[in-house]
């Protein structure tokens, strides 16, 4: 639903009769933790909220009524003008390393956790407003969000979900009728974000920095109960918690790498304990493959470049291990033993990441069994892609056709500056495919389920955001959302969304929006 489809929403002063159709059924476990874990406050009302979009499928999965959310009272809740029945709004406290520098208090400076709902899968999910006004953690900021970054997070997070990557989700977006000042005055918006939780590595760092061992223990117990219930039955639950977070992060980063995704701000406050991708600021998908690629306008040293993401994740996990040391000491009996336990846990990240990445590359190449030399074969392709700036997504997608028959080679060759670079690699690949039992068509069909045709390419994202922000035209946003919601399907008529940007369309930098 675009703004042109929605009826005008009244100002904050307008009152509505109690509408029991807008029901969330909140179960707020985080709000039961001690008061120093958060700050209680309501969202700040806006002048004239107006609906941009409700994610109807997600709403139903959360046992919510999408029509009620799209109603006038529902939009007031999504904008922060009205507190839903059962909500206990709060801003979470956390700390974090930002580009390697520790900040002892960050917290939700522009976000408000309304509460938790239990979805159809029986899991608790946070419902959070992002851009809902100042909090005690705003550090002089306005607490608001501009429309462009809200729509970027909506598109990219939903694209990641469709690609099968653990991620926060977008439930709704509304405009506010107000302007926010960034480089210029921009239209304001509020995103309703859904997450398995908003616990971060930085949440643990917040308590560790204060020497609050009891707070660390309570937070660890909460994380175990919510995300790693099996750890509660382990001989050493806090070691099991650390192991679990490490395993999920290894899997998550491997998925990013297999899709050419660059997060852009992998700070510890943007590293989720649940193993979800969180905080889509200056994120982007690569086109021409380049391991050193950076899009973020603030990542001047390339700390979070595409190829550095596994290293950055391990660094962040080491900070989690440091924060957990007080409770690990309780299990291990001494600080020296606890440090040894933490280091042992951390050594598991790299092999777990490599196993996940190697398995993913085999699937992308149509290799369903494991043989010596597979990793080298995949690495050789990546090196040749980098040398020829071959489009990451299209190279693997067109390999699906090449796997079905040699006539598909032509489509891949055109992506390489030197087509002979592909030919030299393809000869070895075809020899390896002969060791597989599947026929070409069956192999290609399986490959198409892991090699997407459509990603939110940066130039299409920017065009959609530009049209929405400058002209209040949401059609490009709607069209792009529809495309990336079904990333693996061949869809005649939408070919332009699958091809790389022309030189004049290339997006060189992306921005946080804060």
């Amino acid at each position: 639903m675009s703004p042109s489809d929605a009826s005008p929403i009244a100002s904050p002063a307008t009152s509505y009769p109690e509408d029991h159709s807008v029901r969330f059924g909140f179960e707020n476990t985080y709000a039961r933790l001690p008061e120093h874990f958060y700050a209680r406050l309501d969202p700040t009302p806006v002048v004239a909220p107006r609906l941009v979009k409700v994610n109807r499928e997600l709403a139903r999965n959360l046992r919510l009524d999408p029509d009620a959310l799209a109603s006038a009272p529902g939009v007031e809740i999504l904008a922060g003008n009205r507190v839903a029945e059962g909500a206990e709004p709060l801003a979470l406290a956390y700390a974090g390393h930002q580009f390697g520098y520790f900040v002892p208090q960050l917290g939700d400076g522009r976000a408000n956790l309304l509460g938790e709902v239990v979805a159809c899968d029986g899991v608790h999910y946070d419902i959070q407003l992002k851009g809902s006004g100042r909090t005690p953690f705003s550090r002089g900021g306005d607490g608001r969000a501009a429309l462009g970054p809200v729509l970027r997070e909506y598109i990219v997070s939903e694209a990641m979900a469709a690609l099968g990557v653990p991620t926060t989700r977008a439930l709704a977006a509304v405009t506010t009728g107000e302007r926010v000042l960034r480089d210029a005055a921009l239209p304001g918006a509020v995103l309703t974000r859904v997450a398995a939780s908003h616990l971060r590595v930085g949440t643990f760092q917040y308590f560790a920095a204060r020497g609050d061992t009891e707070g660390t223990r309570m937070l660890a117990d909460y994380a175990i109960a919510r995300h790693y219930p099996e750890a509660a039955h382990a001989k050493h639950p806090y070691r099991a918690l650390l192991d679990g977070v490490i395993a999920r992060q290894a899997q998550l980063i491997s998925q990013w790498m297999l899709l050419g995704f660059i997060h852009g701000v992998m700070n510890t406050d943007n590293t989720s304990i649940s193993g979800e991708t969180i905080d889509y600021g200056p994120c982007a998908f690569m086109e021409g493959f380049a391991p050193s690629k950076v899009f973020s306008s603030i990542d001047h040293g390339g700390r979070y470049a595409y190829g550095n993401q596994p290293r950055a994740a391990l660094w962040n996990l080491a900070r989690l291990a440091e924060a957990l040391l007080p409770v690990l000491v309780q299990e291990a009996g001494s600080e020296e033993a606890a440090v040894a336990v933490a280091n042992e846990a951390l050594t598991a990240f790299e092999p777990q990441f490599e196993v996940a990445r190697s398995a993913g590359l085999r699937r992308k190449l149509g290799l369903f069994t494991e043989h010596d030399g597979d990793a080298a074969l995949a690495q050789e392709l990546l090196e040749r892609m980098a040398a020829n700036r071959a489009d990451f997504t299209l190279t693997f997608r067109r390999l699906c056709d090449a796997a079905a028959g040699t006539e598909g080679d032509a489509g891949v060759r055109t992506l390489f500056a030197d087509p002979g670079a592909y030919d030299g690699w393809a000869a070895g690949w075809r020899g390896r495919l002969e060791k597989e039992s599947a026929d070409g068509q069956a192999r290609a069909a399986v490959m198409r389920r892991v090699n997407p045709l459509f990603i939110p390419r940066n130039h299409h994202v920017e065009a959609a955001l530009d049209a929405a922000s400058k002209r209040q035209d949401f059609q490009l946003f709607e069209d792009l959302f529809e495309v990336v919601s079904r990333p693996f399907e061949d869809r005649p008529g939408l070919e332009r969304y699958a091809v790389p940007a022309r030189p004049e369309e290339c997006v060189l930098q992306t921005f946080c929006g804060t």
Side-chain angles (χ1 to χ4, degrees), residues 312-333:
L314 178 57
W315 194 91
N316 291 345
L317 291 166
R319 307 291 77 77
L320 174 62
E322 289 172 351
L324 285 172
L325 276 179
V327 294
L328 292 175
V329 167
Q330 295 173 5
E331 291 183 338

Side-chain angles (χ1 to χ4, degrees), residues 215-298:
T216 301
R217 184 193 63 75
M218 293 185 70
L219 183 63
D221 288 343
Y222 181 84
I224 288 170
R226 186 154 180 184
H227 297 301
Y228 301 92
E230 67 283 357
H233 307 291
K235 182 178 180 181
H236 301 296
Y238 301 128
R239 164 65 191 269
L241 169 63
L242 180 58
D243 288 339
V245 177
I246 289 169
R248 289 193 191 178
Q249 283 292 320
Q251 179 67 33
L252 177 66
I253 305 305
S254 74
Q255 291 179 275
W256 292 359
M257 304 295 282
L258 292 166
L259 292 168
F261 176 74
I262 305 171
H263 185 281
V265 279
M266 288 180 64
N267 298 324
T268 58
D269 60 300
N270 293 334
T271 302
S272 168
I273 297 301
S274 69
E276 292 180 308
T277 312
I278 189 171
D279 285 340
Y280 292 89
C283 62
F285 286 81
M286 273 193 304
E287 293 195 324
F289 182 56
S292 62
K293 186 64 180 176
V294 173
F295 283 96
S296 171
S297 63
I298 57 176

Side-chain angles (χ1 to χ4, degrees), residues 27 36 42 54 91 119 141 145 236 320 360 376 395 401 409 442 453:
E27 294 187 15
H36 63 289
D42 291 346
V54 166
H236 301 296
L320 174 62
T395 296
D401 296 330
D409 284 337
L453 177 59

Side-chain angles (χ1 to χ4, degrees), residues 259 286-287 391-397 452-453 455 457:
L259 292 168
M286 273 193 304
E287 293 195 324
D391 184 83
F392 186 90
T393 302
L394 273 190
T395 296
F396 284 104
R397 181 67 178 196
L453 177 59
I455 56 169
R457 291 184 179 269

Side-chain angles (χ1 to χ4, degrees), residues 48-384:
R50 193 175 177 90
L51 183 66
V52 176
K53 191 172 184 67
V54 166
N55 190 333
R56 290 180 167 269
E57 181 180 1
L58 176 59
R60 286 187 284 268
N61 288 338
L62 296 171
R63 304 181 191 269
L64 303 177
D65 180 354
D67 291 326
L69 291 175
S71 70
V75 172
E76 288 213 318
I77 292 169
L78 299 174
N81 286 21
R82 174 177 179 158
V83 176
E85 181 181 352
E88 298 183 59
L90 53 88
L92 277 68
Y94 52 84
H97 278 88
Q98 299 190 313
F99 290 91
Y101 296 95
F102 184 64
V103 182
Q105 179 173 293
L106 292 167
D108 284 331
R110 57 174 182 157
N112 197 289
L113 176 63
L114 299 183
E116 304 147 31
V117 299
V118 180
C120 293
D121 60 6
V123 174
H124 279 73
Y125 290 92
D126 285 358
I127 306 292
Q128 183 194 65
L129 301 184
K130 186 174 181 180
S132 54
R134 289 188 177 93
T135 80
F137 307 108
S138 294
R139 295 177 294 163
D142 60 13
R144 292 302 189 187
L147 177 60
V150 163
L151 296 186
R152 178 189 296 278
E153 180 156 351
Y154 199 117
I155 289 172
V156 181
S157 64
E158 288 305 298
M160 291 287 269
L163 289 164
V165 180
T167 178
T168 60
R169 301 287 302 274
L171 178 61
V174 297
T175 55
T176 63
E178 301 174 351
R179 312 291 284 186
V180 297
L181 186 61
R182 298 296 182 259
D183 293 340
L186 303 171
V190 178
L191 175 76
T192 304
R193 181 163 70 183
V194 176
S197 83
H198 286 83
L199 298 181
R200 311 154 188 263
V201 169
T203 317
F204 284 89
Q205 291 181 291
Y206 179 83
F207 295 98
R210 286 156 178 76
D212 185 354
T213 299
E214 180 59 15
T216 301
R217 184 193 63 75
M218 293 185 70
L219 183 63
D221 288 343
Y222 181 84
I224 288 170
R226 186 154 180 184
H227 297 301
Y228 301 92
E230 67 283 357
H233 307 291
K235 182 178 180 181
H236 301 296
Y238 301 128
R239 164 65 191 269
L241 169 63
L242 180 58
D243 288 339
V245 177
I246 289 169
R248 289 193 191 178
Q249 283 292 320
Q251 179 67 33
L252 177 66
I253 305 305
S254 74
Q255 291 179 275
W256 292 359
M257 304 295 282
L258 292 166
L259 292 168
F261 176 74
I262 305 171
H263 185 281
V265 279
M266 288 180 64
N267 298 324
T268 58
D269 60 300
N270 293 334
T271 302
S272 168
I273 297 301
S274 69
E276 292 180 308
T277 312
I278 189 171
D279 285 340
Y280 292 89
C283 62
F285 286 81
M286 273 193 304
E287 293 195 324
F289 182 56
S292 62
K293 186 64 180 176
V294 173
F295 283 96
S296 171
S297 63
I298 57 176
D299 191 1
H300 305 297
R303 179 183 177 90
Y304 302 136
Y306 169 81
N308 288 342
Q309 292 181 129
R311 184 182 305 111
L314 178 57
W315 194 91
N316 291 345
L317 291 166
R319 307 291 77 77
L320 174 62
E322 289 172 351
L324 285 172
L325 276 179
V327 294
L328 292 175
V329 167
Q330 295 173 5
E331 291 183 338
S334 70
E335 184 171 345
E336 182 180 3
V339 170
V341 164
N343 284 328
E344 180 184 42
L346 292 167
T347 61
F349 174 84
E350 187 173 354
Q352 289 179 347
F353 167 78
E354 289 297 341
V355 166
R357 179 173 177 268
S358 295
L361 285 169
R362 283 197 304 274
R363 289 191 296 270
K364 290 175 79 69
L365 295 177
L367 310 179
F368 309 133
T369 58
E370 184 175 358
H371 288 256
D372 290 342
D374 287 351
L377 181 68
Q379 184 59 34
E380 182 185 355
L381 173 62
L382 293 173
E383 290 173 358
R384 294 185 182 218

Side-chain angles (χ1 to χ4, degrees), residues 379-466:
Q379 184 59 34
E380 182 185 355
L381 173 62
L382 293 173
E383 290 173 358
R384 294 185 182 218
M385 288 169 60
N388 288 269
R389 290 301 174 100
D391 184 83
F392 186 90
T393 302
L394 273 190
T395 296
F396 284 104
R397 181 67 178 196
R398 291 185 181 178
L399 279 175
C400 304
D401 296 330
T406 55
E407 62 276 8
D409 284 337
V412 190
R413 295 179 85 250
T414 61
L415 300 173
F416 286 70
D418 172 16
Y422 167 71
D423 296 335
W425 175 83
W429 175 54
R430 294 200 180 281
R432 172 62 181 85
L433 290 179
E434 292 176 358
K435 299 178 182 179
E436 298 289 329
S437 59
D439 65 40
Q441 292 298 334
R443 180 184 302 113
V446 174
M447 290 173 66
R448 290 189 186 101
R449 293 199 288 268
V450 296
N451 290 313
L453 177 59
F454 300 111
I455 56 169
R457 291 184 179 269
N458 303 322
H459 60 299
H460 289 302
V461 173
E462 291 299 330
L465 305 192
D466 193 62

